[in-house]
Amino acid sequence: MGANGQTSKRPAITGVYGYLPEYVLTNAELARLVDTSDAWITERTGIKERRILKGEGLGTSHMGAEAVRGLLERTGTPPAEVDLLICATTTPDFVFPSTANLIADMVGLGPVGSFDVQAACSGFIYAISIASQFIATGQCRKVVVVGADKMSAIIDYTDRATCVIFGDGAGAVLIEPSPNGEGIFDTVIRSDGAGMIHLHQKAGGSRLPPSAETVAKRLHYVHQEGAAVYKFAIAKMAEVAAEIMARNNLRADMIQWLVPHQANWRIIESTAEKMGLPMDRVMVTIQKYGNTTAATIPLCLWDYERRLKTGDRLILAAFGGGFTWGASYLTWAYDGAAAAQEHRRRLS
Ligand code: UT7
């Protein structure tokens, strides 16, 4: 029984929507800003272009709200029926209030609970793990999880090692009690704070508050020791995917899709290889959106939705700053092609 006396329910993703800003930042444009080339970026990361949110006064909430509005419209969900909104982000509009608070207001949800989750690139997996508990206990019937990041706000466009990788975007999912027994079966979340030194933003928090000096020293940008992070990412994403497969008695041939965090094409390929999955069963969007941090996984689901069938088995896996990492095992709860067709029909 759940906290309010209801029977435990399997949570399921019942809709997905994505938002990407219009501006396309190409490798060619980056090669005019820093000493890099399309060939290096393509070969070392798989990225060809990424989206950047332009516009005075627009923060992560703008993209999150667009994704949530689209999700509610797409799933025919009245805003008043949403019980809880969770936003996974590393680039909140403000230190406080939370970006989830702002999105809820912009979209007209309410009365609603809302909060942010900060787990860097693993944020979406952390957030669906939390959302699942609210559904399973019966405390909530409709939870929106949005992964949104305006990475361009914290990227140093004079640092070629980081500026080529990241992009902006948002993706949202609706989580409800399963209509058919399909849904989220298991989630593993992990962290190791000792990894902080390899990937963090040095100033702007309570340890080193903003000052003229921190700005002059360019400490408000992403600091990433790429090779060290790469080593951990390669090991941990495969390890956590193997763990969740083992504890759910899954073999590679039973998995229809791996949905990996999109940090580097080589990390994605290595994870798939270690899991024994061919690349045609792996969702990849990195070539067009780059690394959008908490948004990569929901944006993959949005991009591939038409190809998802009821009962498809998916493994979600991520690794990121913190360090944090995690994986989810879920089965898809609806026919993606039919949902897309129905949406087109309603719009026409
Ligand atoms: O999503 C959160 C978690 N993040 C990740 O998972 C990212 C993990 N790391 C990576 O994906 C890779 O480490 C990067 C893509 C960031 C870098 O690729 P790499 O193959 O590991 O390069 P590196 O940092 O070891 O640098 C190799 C060389 C260096 O030159 P030297 O010292 O060998 O002369 C760099 O200065 O490549 C140079 N380099 C570049 N050259 C051209 C670094 N960035 C660039 C660039 N263009 N943009």
Side-chain angles (χ1 to χ4, degrees), residues 270-300:
S270 161
T271 306
E273 195 181 305
K274 286 181 185 158
M275 289 170 69
L277 285 182
M279 284 304 287
D280 62 2
R281 300 209 319 256
V282 181
M283 295 190 188
V284 183
T285 57
I286 192 165
Q287 71 285 4
K288 44 186 184 176
Y289 309 143
N291 181 349
T292 53
T293 303
T296 61
I297 289 178
L299 282 173
C300 277

Side-chain angles (χ1 to χ4, degrees), residues 36 40 44 121 160 165 224 226 229 261 263-264 266-267 291:
T36 190
W40 192 95
R44 304 308 292 166
C121 298
R160 70 176 182 174
I165 301 165
Q224 175 169 264
V229 178
H261 169 54
N264 185 319
R266 291 180 291 142
I267 298 173
N291 181 349

Side-chain angles (χ1 to χ4, degrees), residues 3-346:
N4 61 0
Q6 293 181 9
T7 310
S8 181
K9 296 262 192 279
R10 176 169 312 290
I13 293 178
T14 54
V16 58
Y17 207 82
Y19 173 80
L20 290 146
E22 267 173 38
Y23 191 85
V24 177
L25 176 58
T26 61
N27 289 352
E29 186 177 346
L30 282 167
R32 291 195 290 274
L33 295 176
V34 290
D35 181 15
T36 190
S37 64
D38 174 50
W40 192 95
I41 302 169
T42 306
E43 189 195 319
R44 304 308 292 166
T45 71
I47 302 168
K48 298 300 278 185
E49 57 189 42
R50 66 292 288 143
R51 302 298 184 92
I52 301 295
L53 180 64
K54 302 265 185 184
E56 188 92 9
L58 296 183
T60 295
S61 65
H62 171 76
M63 297 186 293
E66 290 287 342
V68 174
R69 261 187 219 110
L71 176 74
L72 299 186
E73 192 274 327
R74 173 79 183 246
T75 54
T77 305
E81 285 186 11
V82 176
D83 302 309
L84 179 66
L85 174 81
I86 307 175
C87 178
T89 187
T90 299
T91 51
D93 286 32
F94 303 105
V95 172
F96 75 92
S98 75
T99 302
N101 280 200
L102 306 177
I103 295 172
D105 181 51
M106 289 158 87
V107 176
L109 306 184
V112 69
S114 65
F115 56 86
D116 287 357
V117 168
Q118 165 35 306
C121 298
S122 313
F124 183 76
I125 288 180
Y126 271 63
I128 62 167
S129 152
I130 299 164
S132 296
Q133 313 303 322
F134 278 94
I135 297 293
T137 58
Q139 275 210 330
C140 292
R141 292 197 57 81
K142 290 185 195 295
V143 181
V144 171
V145 171
V146 54
D149 270 300
K150 183 186 170 186
M151 294 306 292
S152 61
I154 56 167
I155 291 300
D156 181 352
Y157 285 93
T158 66
D159 174 13
R160 70 176 182 174
T162 51
C163 75
V164 301
I165 301 165
F166 293 97
D168 302 338
V173 297
L174 181 63
I175 303 187
E176 298 180 271
S178 173
N180 51 10
E182 308 294 352
I184 301 168
F185 282 77
D186 196 12
T187 301
V188 179
I189 53 173
R190 299 268 188 269
S191 71
D192 180 0
M196 183 275 274
I197 49 165
H198 303 298
L199 180 51
H200 65 296
Q201 182 180 318
K202 290 183 185 293
S206 59
R207 200 182 284 192
L208 196 53
S211 68
E213 193 188 346
T214 61
V215 173
K217 287 185 171 164
R218 309 182 80 79
L219 301 181
H220 294 269
Y221 296 120
V222 171
H223 166 85
Q224 175 169 264
E225 293 157 13
V229 178
Y230 185 90
K231 205 177 78 189
F232 279 97
I234 283 244
K236 293 299 179 190
M237 261 174 61
E239 188 182 295
V240 77
E243 180 182 346
I244 208 155
M245 283 170 69
R247 70 189 209 183
N248 291 282
N249 301 313
L250 295 166
R251 297 182 316 269
D253 62 289
M254 297 161 77
I255 310 288
Q256 274 72 40
W257 293 103
L258 167 65
V259 193
H261 169 54
Q262 311 280 304
N264 185 319
W265 198 86
R266 291 180 291 142
I267 298 173
I268 296 170
E269 191 185 34
S270 161
T271 306
E273 195 181 305
K274 286 181 185 158
M275 289 170 69
L277 285 182
M279 284 304 287
D280 62 2
R281 300 209 319 256
V282 181
M283 295 190 188
V284 183
T285 57
I286 192 165
Q287 71 285 4
K288 44 186 184 176
Y289 309 143
N291 181 349
T292 53
T293 303
T296 61
I297 289 178
L299 282 173
C300 277
L301 295 174
W302 170 233
D303 230 70
Y304 281 75
E305 188 199 30
R306 283 177 185 75
R307 298 171 65 180
L308 289 168
K309 299 179 186 63
T310 307
D312 277 357
R313 295 188 190 91
L314 278 61
I315 300 285
L316 280 44
F319 179 87
F323 290 141
T324 56
W325 61 100
S328 286
Y329 162 51
L330 59 91
T331 60
W332 201 246
Y334 63 95
D335 187 292
Q341 201 176 10
E342 166 63 14
H343 189 226
R344 272 199 304 275
R345 193 190 59 73
R346 274 198 285 127

